[in-house]
Amino acid sequence: MDFSEQDVDVFGEDYNNNNNHDDSRESSSSHSSSSSSSASSSSSASSSSNGSDGGDSSSASGSASSGGEEENGEEVGNANTNNYNDNSEKAIDGYGEEEEEKDLFGSDNEDYCKTPATSPFSIPVLPVIRSTNNPGRGGFGRGRWQNDRGAGILGRPGYPPRQGYGYGTKFANGHRDERFVSELKLSKSEETLSRKCIAFQEPCELACYSRVEGGEVYFDDRSLRLFKRLITEDIGADLNQGFDTFIDKKDLGSEGFGDLLACIRDKNIPLQNIHFVTFRNNLNKILATAYIRNEPWEMGVHKRNGVVYLDVHKLPERPRSELDRRRCYWGYCFESLATEDPRRVDGEGIHHIDANVEYCSVIKTKLGAHRILMGAEMDCCDSTDEGRRFYVELKTSRELDYHTEERYEREKLLKFWIQSFLAGVPYIVIGFRDDAGRLVRTERLRTKDITHRVKMKNYWQGGVCLAFADEVLCWLYGTVKENEDYILQFAPPFNRLELLQAQSCPDAITNHVEQ
């Protein structure tokens, strides 16, 4: 193949014209070839001194030549290379001349030497967004600072930092209790807790015990009362009857917890796989704290052989007035009216109520991953047509009106549901009374229907209570140490649970562990 013709076809007719023009230019300027050669050699020397620029040129020419060899063959590649080398020498000559004239970083560039270190132009700043909602606030807030950008990282000179985050001395970060061990801040929102799905195992009764008049304890159900289904016949009854002969409940302290542990030993209930042993009352407090944040409480925490025992602590109360004692008695009187009493004949009034007589069920359940064995006092029981026994919770409340219904559903129904749900009690019977203590009406609620009743009003969610309790029990079990004693408390300002070091363990727990 004739490669000369191929050159003409590829580059066109202008290629020969350019070559002829170049030849005539070279002949006309032959008298200056020596000067041109010297200029070329000087420029190549300057090119070699600039390593980065010369490297780029050589790499570019090399890549172009290799590209020509692959596409058009060896001879065409050589021709192109030679032609490119001719042009590249001219390009290098031109680049060398430009470098000598426009080198920004050269030491002889006066413009570069005169460039200031800092820009004379100001940094652009976005305009301040001013709130027009409170135009009369004057110099308060963010606008009182000279730069209109609010307080900086450092405090303003002459102004000491605020203590207690501006909430007054009541919530100031004062001296922490010396017994302090750990805390659980109640920072998770209801929406966050509602996303957690905590399983709760159906409660299973393992044992029971009864306390009779005089304080004796028997490990049977002799103190269990039967629900009176015809309670509606007693509407209009005076709940004050028998108040003069009422025997108030004694505070047994840790002795009551000892009765529960004694029942566990009597029935040989193993505790190897149990995480918590407690009364239901302690769990009621924990679950209700998910929504009720203004009621203080505390409980004893004692870990022995991998089991955490939660002991009931009763906080000091203000002295109760006569009306307070009567309102408390109205609840006991309604329980007596709503249960069968073989000792009371028809038409006989209520008298000699002893609040210390009780029946307690020992229940095993599981909340999340926590296995719980708890004691729960039961008011009465009923049975189905097939003979299966179930428990009924009895409650009293003031008759509702427009102003009290919301609080009743927010707080009282929450406590009613927690207490019945934890122990697997399916029904709650509520006796509504007036301010004089007279029974106005009764209402029977199914425990599972309470959550549906408040769900549409968005007052509270049972799942949030379970998720909150799971958080507390996880933190508690992982924090307490073996053979150490603590106090778990919820106190003002009601924004965290605190775990404090205790000095001793109740004898009832110590004796139970030793046996």
Side-chain angles (χ1 to χ4, degrees):
M1 180 180 290
D2 190 356
F3 286 100
S4 61
E5 296 178 359
Q6 182 71 16
D7 293 338
V8 174
D9 294 336
V10 172
F11 296 99
E13 297 178 353
D14 294 338
Y15 178 76
N16 294 330
N17 297 333
N18 292 335
N19 291 337
N20 296 332
H21 178 72
D22 293 339
D23 294 339
S24 61
R25 185 179 62 180
E26 291 177 359
S27 60
S28 63
S29 60
S30 59
H31 63 276
S32 61
S33 59
S34 60
S35 61
S36 174
S37 176
S38 61
S40 175
S41 60
S42 63
S43 65
S44 61
S46 64
S47 174
S48 62
S49 64
N50 191 349
S52 61
D53 298 335
D56 294 339
S57 301
S58 61
S59 62
S61 62
S63 61
S65 63
S66 61
E69 288 174 2
E70 291 179 1
E71 294 181 2
N72 301 324
E74 184 177 358
E75 295 181 7
V76 175
N78 293 335
N80 293 337
T81 302
N82 296 332
N83 186 24
Y84 183 79
N85 287 337
D86 295 337
N87 296 330
S88 63
E89 290 180 359
K90 299 176 182 179
I92 292 175
D93 293 342
Y95 182 75
E97 294 174 357
E98 292 178 358
E99 278 292 301
E100 293 176 356
E101 295 176 359
K102 299 180 180 180
D103 185 7
L104 179 61
F105 302 99
S107 59
D108 57 344
N109 192 328
E110 297 180 358
D111 294 336
Y112 172 72
C113 296
K114 293 179 181 179
T115 303
T118 58
S119 175
F121 302 101
S122 60
I123 301 175
V125 179
L126 294 177
V128 179
I129 301 177
R130 299 184 181 274
S131 176
T132 58
N133 296 330
N134 298 310
R137 289 177 62 89
F140 294 97
R142 296 174 62 89
R144 61 178 174 173
W145 304 98
Q146 294 180 359
N147 57 2
D148 287 335
R149 297 178 62 186
I153 298 177
L154 300 178
R156 190 178 182 186
Y159 287 82
R162 294 182 301 175
Q163 300 294 330
Y165 303 100
Y167 293 101
T169 57
K170 180 179 180 181
F171 301 105
N173 294 334
H175 180 67
R176 179 169 280 176
D177 197 322
E178 295 179 353
R179 304 172 297 167
F180 177 82
V181 176
S182 180
E183 67 178 11
L184 177 64
K185 294 184 178 180
L186 309 184
S187 57
K188 291 192 175 180
S189 63
E190 178 183 6
E191 181 180 1
T192 302
L193 293 173
S194 64
R195 296 193 186 103
K196 297 182 63 176
C197 183
I198 303 300
F200 186 81
Q201 190 178 68
E202 183 178 359
C204 176
E205 186 177 38
L206 302 181
C208 62
Y209 64 92
S210 300
R211 178 176 284 105
V212 298
E213 295 180 0
E216 295 84 0
V217 176
Y218 299 90
F219 303 120
D220 53 34
D221 61 353
R222 65 183 65 188
S223 295
L224 180 61
R225 295 175 290 184
L226 184 64
F227 176 68
K228 185 170 68 175
R229 297 180 178 177
L230 300 178
I231 180 61
T232 54
E233 296 179 353
D234 292 317
I235 292 179
D238 185 10
L239 299 180
N240 292 285
Q241 53 180 324
F243 176 73
D244 297 334
T245 59
F246 170 63
I247 302 176
D248 204 352
K249 195 167 188 174
K250 301 176 181 179
D251 183 14
L252 299 177
S254 298
E255 182 182 349
F257 196 48
D259 297 334
L260 172 61
L261 299 178
C263 181
I264 293 175
R265 294 193 303 270
D266 182 77
K267 300 301 181 181
N268 295 322
I269 300 175
L271 299 180
Q272 285 78 11
N273 296 325
I274 299 297
H275 299 113
F276 293 91
V277 176
T278 178
F279 275 116
R280 178 181 55 179
N281 186 27
N282 287 329
L283 297 181
N284 293 346
K285 297 174 183 176
I286 294 176
L287 268 73
T289 306
Y291 287 96
I292 301 177
R293 301 288 176 87
N294 58 352
E295 297 181 2
W297 52 262
E298 72 174 37
M299 64 185 71
V301 182
H302 315 275
K303 191 172 186 179
R304 299 292 186 274
N305 298 328
V307 181
V308 177
Y309 298 87
L310 302 180
D311 188 20
V312 176
H313 285 192
K314 188 176 182 180
L315 294 177
E317 298 179 353
R318 60 178 178 83
R320 293 190 300 174
S321 62
E322 182 72 13
L323 180 59
D324 293 334
R325 295 182 66 250
R326 282 191 176 274
R327 288 175 176 174
C328 181
Y329 174 76
W330 292 343
Y332 287 109
C333 185
F334 176 72
E335 290 181 4
S336 183
L337 280 177
T339 55
E340 302 284 353
D341 188 356
R343 300 174 299 177
R344 187 174 71 244
V345 298
D346 294 340
E348 185 181 0
I350 304 296
H351 58 83
H352 293 96
I353 295 179
D354 189 352
N356 297 284
V357 177
E358 62 181 6
Y359 167 83
C360 189
S361 174
V362 181
I363 299 171
K364 178 183 178 182
T365 186
K366 187 178 180 182
L367 193 156
H370 313 286
R371 297 183 180 92
I372 301 173
L373 189 64
M374 65 179 175
E377 182 183 356
M378 300 296 180
D379 294 330
C380 60
C381 70
D382 201 350
S383 59
T384 62
D385 296 337
E386 293 78 14
R388 185 178 65 86
R389 189 176 74 179
F390 60 89
Y391 295 112
V392 179
E393 193 72 32
L394 301 176
K395 296 293 183 181
T396 56
S397 177
R398 183 177 180 271
E399 178 63 310
L400 303 179
D401 54 30
Y402 175 77
H403 301 285
T404 61
E405 182 177 5
E406 180 178 347
R407 184 177 180 182
Y408 169 79
E409 294 181 342
R410 282 185 180 273
E411 298 183 5
K412 275 204 168 183
L413 281 187
L414 173 62
K415 295 180 179 180
F416 293 171
W417 176 83
I418 290 175
Q419 184 175 2
S420 300
F421 177 80
L422 287 177
V425 178
Y427 292 100
I428 305 172
V429 175
I430 306 173
F432 292 92
R433 47 87 185 168
D434 58 15
D435 293 335
R438 188 169 298 276
L439 186 63
V440 175
R441 64 182 177 94
T442 60
E443 181 182 5
R444 189 191 71 168
L445 295 176
R446 289 199 303 178
T447 303
K448 64 180 182 180
D449 292 342
I450 296 179
T451 53
H452 299 295
R453 175 174 175 176
V454 299
K455 184 177 182 180
M456 299 303 297
K457 300 179 180 180
N458 199 25
Y459 287 159
W460 50 267
Q461 302 179 55
V464 172
C465 298
L466 295 178
F468 178 80
D470 181 69
E471 295 268 345
V472 174
L473 296 181
C474 285
W475 164 73
L476 191 62
Y477 194 86
T479 303
V480 298
K481 298 180 180 179
E482 185 69 24
N483 296 323
E484 292 195 7
D485 308 300
Y486 307 88
I487 295 176
L488 177 64
Q489 71 173 9
F490 183 58
F494 301 112
N495 57 5
R496 64 182 180 270
L497 297 179
E498 290 185 328
L499 190 64
L500 309 179
Q501 194 77 41
Q503 299 299 326
S504 61
C505 179
D507 294 336
I509 299 177
T510 303
N511 297 334
H512 171 75
V513 174
E514 292 176 353
Q515 296 180 15

